[in-house]
PDB file of all heavy atoms in Angstrom:
ATOM      1  N   LEU A 970      12.027 -51.029  15.757  1.00 76.00           N
ATOM      2  CA  LEU A 970      12.250 -49.564  15.453  1.00 76.00           C
ATOM      3  C   LEU A 970      11.074 -48.699  16.097  1.00 76.00           C
ATOM      4  O   LEU A 970      10.569 -47.776  15.479  1.00 76.00           O
ATOM      5  CB  LEU A 970      12.222 -49.367  13.848  1.00 76.00           C
ATOM      6  CG  LEU A 970      13.215 -50.135  13.131  1.00 76.00           C
ATOM      7  CD1 LEU A 970      13.021 -49.894  11.623  1.00 76.00           C
ATOM      8  CD2 LEU A 970      14.626 -49.820  13.598  1.00 76.00           C
ATOM      9  N   ASP A 971      10.748 -49.086  17.286  1.00 72.00           N
ATOM     10  CA  ASP A 971       9.734 -48.318  18.061  1.00 72.00           C
ATOM     11  C   ASP A 971      10.276 -47.823  19.367  1.00 72.00           C
ATOM     12  O   ASP A 971       9.533 -47.749  20.334  1.00 72.00           O
ATOM     13  CB  ASP A 971       8.447 -49.054  18.083  1.00 72.00           C
ATOM     14  CG  ASP A 971       8.501 -50.282  18.979  1.00 72.00           C
ATOM     15  OD1 ASP A 971       9.519 -50.547  19.563  1.00 72.00           O
ATOM     16  OD2 ASP A 971       7.412 -50.962  19.124  1.00 72.00           O
ATOM     17  N   GLU A 972      11.535 -47.573  19.442  1.00 70.00           N
ATOM     18  CA  GLU A 972      12.052 -46.909  20.627  1.00 70.00           C
ATOM     19  C   GLU A 972      11.405 -45.560  20.868  1.00 70.00           C
ATOM     20  O   GLU A 972      11.269 -44.724  19.873  1.00 70.00           O
ATOM     21  CB  GLU A 972      13.578 -46.789  20.673  1.00 70.00           C
ATOM     22  CG  GLU A 972      14.304 -48.071  20.697  1.00 70.00           C
ATOM     23  CD  GLU A 972      15.791 -47.780  20.682  1.00 70.00           C
ATOM     24  OE1 GLU A 972      16.333 -47.379  19.661  1.00 70.00           O
ATOM     25  OE2 GLU A 972      16.442 -48.034  21.738  1.00 70.00           O
ATOM     26  N   ASP A 973      11.095 -45.181  22.083  1.00 77.00           N
ATOM     27  CA  ASP A 973      10.604 -43.844  22.324  1.00 77.00           C
ATOM     28  C   ASP A 973      11.274 -43.370  23.673  1.00 77.00           C
ATOM     29  O   ASP A 973      11.800 -44.218  24.428  1.00 77.00           O
ATOM     30  CB  ASP A 973       9.109 -43.698  22.279  1.00 77.00           C
ATOM     31  CG  ASP A 973       8.412 -44.540  23.373  1.00 77.00           C
ATOM     32  OD1 ASP A 973       8.977 -44.796  24.385  1.00 77.00           O
ATOM     33  OD2 ASP A 973       7.273 -44.804  23.081  1.00 77.00           O
ATOM     34  N   GLN A 974      11.106 -42.119  23.904  1.00 80.00           N
ATOM     35  CA  GLN A 974      11.756 -41.537  25.105  1.00 80.00           C
ATOM     36  C   GLN A 974      11.162 -42.070  26.414  1.00 80.00           C
ATOM     37  O   GLN A 974      11.852 -42.353  27.365  1.00 80.00           O
ATOM     38  CB  GLN A 974      11.650 -40.005  25.071  1.00 80.00           C
ATOM     39  CG  GLN A 974      12.484 -39.384  26.222  1.00 80.00           C
ATOM     40  CD  GLN A 974      13.973 -39.768  26.120  1.00 80.00           C
ATOM     41  OE1 GLN A 974      14.486 -39.848  25.059  1.00 80.00           O
ATOM     42  NE2 GLN A 974      14.485 -40.031  27.256  1.00 80.00           N
ATOM     43  N   ASP A 975       9.823 -42.361  26.431  1.00 82.00           N
ATOM     44  CA  ASP A 975       9.239 -42.936  27.583  1.00 82.00           C
ATOM     45  C   ASP A 975       9.685 -44.256  27.929  1.00 82.00           C
ATOM     46  O   ASP A 975       9.970 -44.649  29.092  1.00 82.00           O
ATOM     47  CB  ASP A 975       7.662 -42.940  27.399  1.00 82.00           C
ATOM     48  CG  ASP A 975       7.038 -41.544  27.372  1.00 82.00           C
ATOM     49  OD1 ASP A 975       7.684 -40.598  27.914  1.00 82.00           O
ATOM     50  OD2 ASP A 975       5.878 -41.471  26.811  1.00 82.00           O
ATOM     51  N   GLN A 976       9.874 -45.145  26.876  1.00 80.00           N
ATOM     52  CA  GLN A 976      10.437 -46.454  27.016  1.00 80.00           C
ATOM     53  C   GLN A 976      11.863 -46.373  27.582  1.00 80.00           C
ATOM     54  O   GLN A 976      12.294 -47.068  28.472  1.00 80.00           O
ATOM     55  CB  GLN A 976      10.345 -47.308  25.730  1.00 80.00           C
ATOM     56  CG  GLN A 976      11.301 -48.401  25.594  1.00 80.00           C
ATOM     57  CD  GLN A 976      11.177 -49.494  26.695  1.00 80.00           C
ATOM     58  OE1 GLN A 976      10.104 -49.745  27.133  1.00 80.00           O
ATOM     59  NE2 GLN A 976      12.301 -50.200  27.015  1.00 80.00           N
ATOM     60  N   ARG A 977      12.641 -45.515  26.991  1.00 82.00           N
ATOM     61  CA  ARG A 977      14.045 -45.395  27.428  1.00 82.00           C
ATOM     62  C   ARG A 977      14.146 -44.954  28.867  1.00 82.00           C
ATOM     63  O   ARG A 977      14.934 -45.443  29.654  1.00 82.00           O
ATOM     64  CB  ARG A 977      14.818 -44.376  26.512  1.00 82.00           C
ATOM     65  CG  ARG A 977      15.076 -44.928  25.177  1.00 82.00           C
ATOM     66  CD  ARG A 977      15.866 -43.988  24.348  1.00 82.00           C
ATOM     67  NE  ARG A 977      15.961 -44.408  22.956  1.00 82.00           N
ATOM     68  CZ  ARG A 977      16.315 -43.632  21.984  1.00 82.00           C
ATOM     69  NH1 ARG A 977      16.504 -42.435  22.139  1.00 82.00           N
ATOM     70  NH2 ARG A 977      16.410 -44.182  20.742  1.00 82.00           N
ATOM     71  N   SER A 978      13.267 -44.001  29.199  1.00 85.00           N
ATOM     72  CA  SER A 978      13.309 -43.501  30.644  1.00 85.00           C
ATOM     73  C   SER A 978      12.878 -44.586  31.639  1.00 85.00           C
ATOM     74  O   SER A 978      13.442 -44.707  32.701  1.00 85.00           O
ATOM     75  CB  SER A 978      12.356 -42.264  30.694  1.00 85.00           C
ATOM     76  OG  SER A 978      12.763 -41.238  30.013  1.00 85.00           O
ATOM     77  N   LEU A 979      11.852 -45.326  31.246  1.00 85.00           N
ATOM     78  CA  LEU A 979      11.385 -46.390  32.136  1.00 85.00           C
ATOM     79  C   LEU A 979      12.476 -47.451  32.244  1.00 85.00           C
ATOM     80  O   LEU A 979      12.822 -47.868  33.370  1.00 85.00           O
ATOM     81  CB  LEU A 979      10.116 -47.104  31.526  1.00 85.00           C
ATOM     82  CG  LEU A 979       9.653 -48.359  32.312  1.00 85.00           C
ATOM     83  CD1 LEU A 979       9.082 -47.944  33.692  1.00 85.00           C
ATOM     84  CD2 LEU A 979       8.611 -48.999  31.457  1.00 85.00           C
ATOM     85  N   ASP A 980      13.068 -47.849  31.176  1.00 83.00           N
ATOM     86  CA  ASP A 980      14.151 -48.826  31.224  1.00 83.00           C
ATOM     87  C   ASP A 980      15.352 -48.291  32.103  1.00 83.00           C
ATOM     88  O   ASP A 980      15.931 -49.062  32.877  1.00 83.00           O
ATOM     89  CB  ASP A 980      14.619 -49.242  29.795  1.00 83.00           C
ATOM     90  CG  ASP A 980      15.623 -50.329  29.749  1.00 83.00           C
ATOM     91  OD1 ASP A 980      15.472 -51.377  30.532  1.00 83.00           O
ATOM     92  OD2 ASP A 980      16.612 -50.192  28.946  1.00 83.00           O
ATOM     93  N   PHE A 981      15.775 -47.108  31.800  1.00 86.00           N
ATOM     94  CA  PHE A 981      16.874 -46.451  32.529  1.00 86.00           C
ATOM     95  C   PHE A 981      16.581 -46.399  33.968  1.00 86.00           C
ATOM     96  O   PHE A 981      17.442 -46.752  34.791  1.00 86.00           O
ATOM     97  CB  PHE A 981      17.132 -45.124  31.969  1.00 86.00           C
ATOM     98  CG  PHE A 981      18.323 -44.399  32.516  1.00 86.00           C
ATOM     99  CD1 PHE A 981      19.613 -44.676  32.261  1.00 86.00           C
ATOM    100  CD2 PHE A 981      18.092 -43.409  33.532  1.00 86.00           C
ATOM    101  CE1 PHE A 981      20.664 -44.019  32.720  1.00 86.00           C
ATOM    102  CE2 PHE A 981      19.204 -42.766  34.068  1.00 86.00           C
ATOM    103  CZ  PHE A 981      20.481 -43.060  33.671  1.00 86.00           C
ATOM    104  N   GLY A 982      15.470 -45.919  34.333  1.00 88.00           N
ATOM    105  CA  GLY A 982      15.062 -45.842  35.794  1.00 88.00           C
ATOM    106  C   GLY A 982      14.964 -47.212  36.485  1.00 88.00           C
ATOM    107  O   GLY A 982      15.496 -47.419  37.564  1.00 88.00           O
ATOM    108  N   LEU A 983      14.400 -48.220  35.717  1.00 88.00           N
ATOM    109  CA  LEU A 983      14.255 -49.521  36.374  1.00 88.00           C
ATOM    110  C   LEU A 983      15.633 -50.201  36.501  1.00 88.00           C
ATOM    111  O   LEU A 983      15.927 -50.891  37.469  1.00 88.00           O
ATOM    112  CB  LEU A 983      13.299 -50.417  35.605  1.00 88.00           C
ATOM    113  CG  LEU A 983      11.848 -50.137  35.765  1.00 88.00           C
ATOM    114  CD1 LEU A 983      11.041 -50.984  34.804  1.00 88.00           C
ATOM    115  CD2 LEU A 983      11.475 -50.594  37.193  1.00 88.00           C
ATOM    116  N   ASP A 984      16.525 -49.911  35.559  1.00 88.00           N
ATOM    117  CA  ASP A 984      17.910 -50.473  35.637  1.00 88.00           C
ATOM    118  C   ASP A 984      18.509 -49.961  36.971  1.00 88.00           C
ATOM    119  O   ASP A 984      19.122 -50.808  37.667  1.00 88.00           O
ATOM    120  CB  ASP A 984      18.757 -50.081  34.452  1.00 88.00           C
ATOM    121  CG  ASP A 984      18.365 -50.816  33.162  1.00 88.00           C
ATOM    122  OD1 ASP A 984      17.634 -51.784  33.203  1.00 88.00           O
ATOM    123  OD2 ASP A 984      18.864 -50.398  32.137  1.00 88.00           O
ATOM    124  N   HIS A 985      18.531 -48.678  37.148  1.00 90.00           N
ATOM    125  CA  HIS A 985      19.179 -48.173  38.302  1.00 90.00           C
ATOM    126  C   HIS A 985      18.478 -48.632  39.621  1.00 90.00           C
ATOM    127  O   HIS A 985      19.096 -48.846  40.645  1.00 90.00           O
ATOM    128  CB  HIS A 985      19.323 -46.658  38.231  1.00 90.00           C
ATOM    129  CG  HIS A 985      20.267 -46.232  37.165  1.00 90.00           C
ATOM    130  ND1 HIS A 985      21.652 -46.374  37.285  1.00 90.00           N
ATOM    131  CD2 HIS A 985      20.091 -45.703  35.876  1.00 90.00           C
ATOM    132  CE1 HIS A 985      22.309 -45.979  36.212  1.00 90.00           C
ATOM    133  NE2 HIS A 985      21.418 -45.621  35.322  1.00 90.00           N
ATOM    134  N   PHE A 986      17.146 -48.677  39.530  1.00 91.00           N
ATOM    135  CA  PHE A 986      16.371 -49.109  40.738  1.00 91.00           C
ATOM    136  C   PHE A 986      16.756 -50.542  41.067  1.00 91.00           C
ATOM    137  O   PHE A 986      16.990 -50.845  42.296  1.00 91.00           O
ATOM    138  CB  PHE A 986      14.986 -48.999  40.465  1.00 91.00           C
ATOM    139  CG  PHE A 986      14.115 -49.501  41.547  1.00 91.00           C
ATOM    140  CD1 PHE A 986      13.877 -48.848  42.779  1.00 91.00           C
ATOM    141  CD2 PHE A 986      13.415 -50.714  41.366  1.00 91.00           C
ATOM    142  CE1 PHE A 986      13.119 -49.434  43.774  1.00 91.00           C
ATOM    143  CE2 PHE A 986      12.654 -51.314  42.372  1.00 91.00           C
ATOM    144  CZ  PHE A 986      12.498 -50.648  43.571  1.00 91.00           C
ATOM    145  N   THR A 987      16.840 -51.396  40.066  1.00 91.00           N
ATOM    146  CA  THR A 987      17.142 -52.847  40.381  1.00 91.00           C
ATOM    147  C   THR A 987      18.556 -52.963  40.921  1.00 91.00           C
ATOM    148  O   THR A 987      18.720 -53.781  41.835  1.00 91.00           O
ATOM    149  CB  THR A 987      16.912 -53.730  39.193  1.00 91.00           C
ATOM    150  OG1 THR A 987      17.725 -53.261  38.078  1.00 91.00           O
ATOM    151  CG2 THR A 987      15.514 -53.695  38.690  1.00 91.00           C
ATOM    152  N   HIS A 988      19.509 -52.246  40.356  1.00 90.00           N
ATOM    153  CA  HIS A 988      20.812 -52.313  40.956  1.00 90.00           C
ATOM    154  C   HIS A 988      20.785 -51.921  42.449  1.00 90.00           C
ATOM    155  O   HIS A 988      21.384 -52.656  43.286  1.00 90.00           O
ATOM    156  CB  HIS A 988      21.777 -51.458  40.183  1.00 90.00           C
ATOM    157  CG  HIS A 988      21.975 -51.888  38.749  1.00 90.00           C
ATOM    158  ND1 HIS A 988      22.167 -51.012  37.674  1.00 90.00           N
ATOM    159  CD2 HIS A 988      21.996 -53.118  38.195  1.00 90.00           C
ATOM    160  CE1 HIS A 988      22.305 -51.687  36.617  1.00 90.00           C
ATOM    161  NE2 HIS A 988      22.178 -52.990  36.877  1.00 90.00           N
ATOM    162  N   ALA A 989      20.179 -50.820  42.721  1.00 91.00           N
ATOM    163  CA  ALA A 989      20.142 -50.360  44.109  1.00 91.00           C
ATOM    164  C   ALA A 989      19.394 -51.267  44.983  1.00 91.00           C
ATOM    165  O   ALA A 989      19.917 -51.609  46.164  1.00 91.00           O
ATOM    166  CB  ALA A 989      19.471 -48.937  44.122  1.00 91.00           C
ATOM    167  N   ILE A 990      18.312 -51.831  44.572  1.00 92.00           N
ATOM    168  CA  ILE A 990      17.443 -52.657  45.456  1.00 92.00           C
ATOM    169  C   ILE A 990      18.180 -53.992  45.729  1.00 92.00           C
ATOM    170  O   ILE A 990      18.070 -54.575  46.804  1.00 92.00           O
ATOM    171  CB  ILE A 990      16.097 -52.878  44.882  1.00 92.00           C
ATOM    172  CG1 ILE A 990      15.040 -53.413  45.929  1.00 92.00           C
ATOM    173  CG2 ILE A 990      16.043 -53.796  43.701  1.00 92.00           C
ATOM    174  CD1 ILE A 990      14.548 -52.358  46.877  1.00 92.00           C
ATOM    175  N   LEU A 991      18.888 -54.490  44.730  1.00 92.00           N
ATOM    176  CA  LEU A 991      19.703 -55.724  45.006  1.00 92.00           C
ATOM    177  C   LEU A 991      20.742 -55.508  45.994  1.00 92.00           C
ATOM    178  O   LEU A 991      20.950 -56.349  46.912  1.00 92.00           O
ATOM    179  CB  LEU A 991      20.263 -56.320  43.663  1.00 92.00           C
ATOM    180  CG  LEU A 991      19.278 -56.941  42.756  1.00 92.00           C
ATOM    181  CD1 LEU A 991      19.902 -57.120  41.422  1.00 92.00           C
ATOM    182  CD2 LEU A 991      18.819 -58.240  43.326  1.00 92.00           C
ATOM    183  N   PHE A 992      21.477 -54.423  45.925  1.00 90.00           N
ATOM    184  CA  PHE A 992      22.535 -54.146  46.917  1.00 90.00           C
ATOM    185  C   PHE A 992      21.928 -53.884  48.288  1.00 90.00           C
ATOM    186  O   PHE A 992      22.469 -54.338  49.358  1.00 90.00           O
ATOM    187  CB  PHE A 992      23.340 -52.904  46.538  1.00 90.00           C
ATOM    188  CG  PHE A 992      24.433 -53.319  45.475  1.00 90.00           C
ATOM    189  CD1 PHE A 992      24.324 -52.913  44.160  1.00 90.00           C
ATOM    190  CD2 PHE A 992      25.476 -54.162  45.769  1.00 90.00           C
ATOM    191  CE1 PHE A 992      25.263 -53.189  43.241  1.00 90.00           C
ATOM    192  CE2 PHE A 992      26.391 -54.599  44.858  1.00 90.00           C
ATOM    193  CZ  PHE A 992      26.311 -54.035  43.569  1.00 90.00           C
ATOM    194  N   LEU A 993      20.727 -53.204  48.308  1.00 90.00           N
ATOM    195  CA  LEU A 993      20.169 -52.961  49.596  1.00 90.00           C
ATOM    196  C   LEU A 993      19.656 -54.266  50.239  1.00 90.00           C
ATOM    197  O   LEU A 993      19.726 -54.476  51.466  1.00 90.00           O
ATOM    198  CB  LEU A 993      18.914 -52.023  49.476  1.00 90.00           C
ATOM    199  CG  LEU A 993      19.334 -50.532  49.200  1.00 90.00           C
ATOM    200  CD1 LEU A 993      18.061 -49.723  48.903  1.00 90.00           C
ATOM    201  CD2 LEU A 993      20.022 -49.970  50.417  1.00 90.00           C
ATOM    202  N   GLY A 994      19.063 -55.195  49.417  1.00 89.00           N
ATOM    203  CA  GLY A 994      18.626 -56.487  49.902  1.00 89.00           C
ATOM    204  C   GLY A 994      19.782 -57.268  50.510  1.00 89.00           C
ATOM    205  O   GLY A 994      19.683 -57.870  51.505  1.00 89.00           O
ATOM    206  N   LEU A 995      20.949 -57.199  49.772  1.00 87.00           N
ATOM    207  CA  LEU A 995      22.117 -57.956  50.242  1.00 87.00           C
ATOM    208  C   LEU A 995      22.633 -57.339  51.534  1.00 87.00           C
ATOM    209  O   LEU A 995      22.993 -58.055  52.458  1.00 87.00           O
ATOM    210  CB  LEU A 995      23.180 -57.883  49.130  1.00 87.00           C
ATOM    211  CG  LEU A 995      24.567 -58.579  49.598  1.00 87.00           C
ATOM    212  CD1 LEU A 995      24.332 -60.067  49.852  1.00 87.00           C
ATOM    213  CD2 LEU A 995      25.518 -58.449  48.454  1.00 87.00           C
ATOM    214  N   ALA A 996      22.737 -55.959  51.537  1.00 85.00           N
ATOM    215  CA  ALA A 996      23.144 -55.358  52.802  1.00 85.00           C
ATOM    216  C   ALA A 996      22.308 -55.596  53.943  1.00 85.00           C
ATOM    217  O   ALA A 996      22.797 -55.903  55.105  1.00 85.00           O
ATOM    218  CB  ALA A 996      23.239 -53.843  52.498  1.00 85.00           C
ATOM    219  N   TYR A 997      20.987 -55.566  53.812  1.00 84.00           N
ATOM    220  CA  TYR A 997      20.096 -55.912  54.932  1.00 84.00           C
ATOM    221  C   TYR A 997      20.257 -57.309  55.338  1.00 84.00           C
ATOM    222  O   TYR A 997      20.245 -57.641  56.556  1.00 84.00           O
ATOM    223  CB  TYR A 997      18.613 -55.647  54.465  1.00 84.00           C
ATOM    224  CG  TYR A 997      17.632 -55.839  55.632  1.00 84.00           C
ATOM    225  CD1 TYR A 997      17.340 -54.779  56.439  1.00 84.00           C
ATOM    226  CD2 TYR A 997      17.073 -57.099  55.843  1.00 84.00           C
ATOM    227  CE1 TYR A 997      16.520 -55.066  57.544  1.00 84.00           C
ATOM    228  CE2 TYR A 997      16.167 -57.364  56.878  1.00 84.00           C
ATOM    229  CZ  TYR A 997      15.951 -56.246  57.785  1.00 84.00           C
ATOM    230  OH  TYR A 997      14.996 -56.404  58.804  1.00 84.00           O
ATOM    231  N   GLY A 998      20.365 -58.300  54.412  1.00 84.00           N
ATOM    232  CA  GLY A 998      20.550 -59.664  54.743  1.00 84.00           C
ATOM    233  C   GLY A 998      21.892 -59.950  55.533  1.00 84.00           C
ATOM    234  O   GLY A 998      21.890 -60.763  56.319  1.00 84.00           O
ATOM    235  N   VAL A 999      22.887 -59.198  55.254  1.00 78.00           N
ATOM    236  CA  VAL A 999      24.150 -59.299  55.944  1.00 78.00           C
ATOM    237  C   VAL A 999      24.024 -58.763  57.366  1.00 78.00           C
ATOM    238  O   VAL A 999      24.503 -59.286  58.289  1.00 78.00           O
ATOM    239  CB  VAL A 999      25.329 -58.703  55.153  1.00 78.00           C
ATOM    240  CG1 VAL A 999      26.572 -58.572  56.020  1.00 78.00           C
ATOM    241  CG2 VAL A 999      25.617 -59.508  53.862  1.00 78.00           C
ATOM    242  N   GLU A1000      23.394 -57.576  57.456  1.00 78.00           N
ATOM    243  CA  GLU A1000      23.216 -56.908  58.693  1.00 78.00           C
ATOM    244  C   GLU A1000      22.247 -57.598  59.597  1.00 78.00           C
ATOM    245  O   GLU A1000      22.355 -57.656  60.875  1.00 78.00           O
ATOM    246  CB  GLU A1000      22.833 -55.462  58.458  1.00 78.00           C
ATOM    247  CG  GLU A1000      22.793 -54.604  59.768  1.00 78.00           C
ATOM    248  CD  GLU A1000      24.126 -54.372  60.366  1.00 78.00           C
ATOM    249  OE1 GLU A1000      25.091 -54.466  59.659  1.00 78.00           O
ATOM    250  OE2 GLU A1000      24.158 -54.201  61.584  1.00 78.00           O
ATOM    251  N   HIS A1001      21.191 -58.263  59.081  1.00 75.00           N
ATOM    252  CA  HIS A1001      20.124 -58.958  59.892  1.00 75.00           C
ATOM    253  C   HIS A1001      20.022 -60.347  59.408  1.00 75.00           C
ATOM    254  O   HIS A1001      19.083 -60.718  58.724  1.00 75.00           O
ATOM    255  CB  HIS A1001      18.857 -58.214  59.734  1.00 75.00           C
ATOM    256  CG  HIS A1001      18.843 -56.784  60.131  1.00 75.00           C
ATOM    257  ND1 HIS A1001      19.116 -55.746  59.172  1.00 75.00           N
ATOM    258  CD2 HIS A1001      18.708 -56.172  61.317  1.00 75.00           C
ATOM    259  CE1 HIS A1001      19.118 -54.605  59.878  1.00 75.00           C
ATOM    260  NE2 HIS A1001      18.830 -54.884  61.156  1.00 75.00           N
ATOM    261  N   PRO A1002      20.972 -61.183  59.701  1.00 69.00           N
ATOM    262  CA  PRO A1002      21.059 -62.517  59.242  1.00 69.00           C
ATOM    263  C   PRO A1002      19.906 -63.400  59.766  1.00 69.00           C
ATOM    264  O   PRO A1002      19.290 -63.130  60.778  1.00 69.00           O
ATOM    265  CB  PRO A1002      22.393 -63.108  59.751  1.00 69.00           C
ATOM    266  CG  PRO A1002      22.711 -62.271  60.947  1.00 69.00           C
ATOM    267  CD  PRO A1002      22.140 -60.897  60.678  1.00 69.00           C
ATOM    268  N   ALA A1003      19.562 -64.383  58.969  1.00 67.00           N
ATOM    269  CA  ALA A1003      18.511 -65.350  59.398  1.00 67.00           C
ATOM    270  C   ALA A1003      19.046 -66.153  60.627  1.00 67.00           C
ATOM    271  O   ALA A1003      20.290 -66.384  60.717  1.00 67.00           O
ATOM    272  CB  ALA A1003      18.286 -66.327  58.244  1.00 67.00           C
ATOM    273  N   SER A1004      18.188 -66.403  61.542  1.00 55.00           N
ATOM    274  CA  SER A1004      18.601 -67.205  62.687  1.00 55.00           C
ATOM    275  C   SER A1004      18.745 -68.590  62.302  1.00 55.00           C
ATOM    276  O   SER A1004      18.241 -69.116  61.405  1.00 55.00           O
ATOM    277  CB  SER A1004      17.500 -67.062  63.780  1.00 55.00           C
ATOM    278  OG  SER A1004      16.335 -67.610  63.327  1.00 55.00           O
ATOM    279  N   GLY A1005      19.784 -69.217  62.974  1.00 49.00           N
ATOM    280  CA  GLY A1005      20.001 -70.612  62.702  1.00 49.00           C
ATOM    281  C   GLY A1005      21.088 -70.830  61.567  1.00 49.00           C
ATOM    282  O   GLY A1005      21.771 -69.891  61.262  1.00 49.00           O
ATOM    283  N   VAL A1006      21.189 -72.009  61.156  1.00 46.00           N
ATOM    284  CA  VAL A1006      22.263 -72.401  60.230  1.00 46.00           C
ATOM    285  C   VAL A1006      22.060 -71.739  58.848  1.00 46.00           C
ATOM    286  O   VAL A1006      20.922 -71.571  58.413  1.00 46.00           O
ATOM    287  CB  VAL A1006      22.258 -73.942  60.011  1.00 46.00           C
ATOM    288  CG1 VAL A1006      23.296 -74.352  59.028  1.00 46.00           C
ATOM    289  CG2 VAL A1006      22.510 -74.553  61.398  1.00 46.00           C
TER     290      VAL A1006
END
């Protein structure tokens, strides 16, 4: 019972950041594949 607006904002911001960064990491990995097998 200790939710506060700062915690919610941090959680909300990190949620959206993590979704974006995962897609960006995947996109970069597809565009610039590792050399070799």
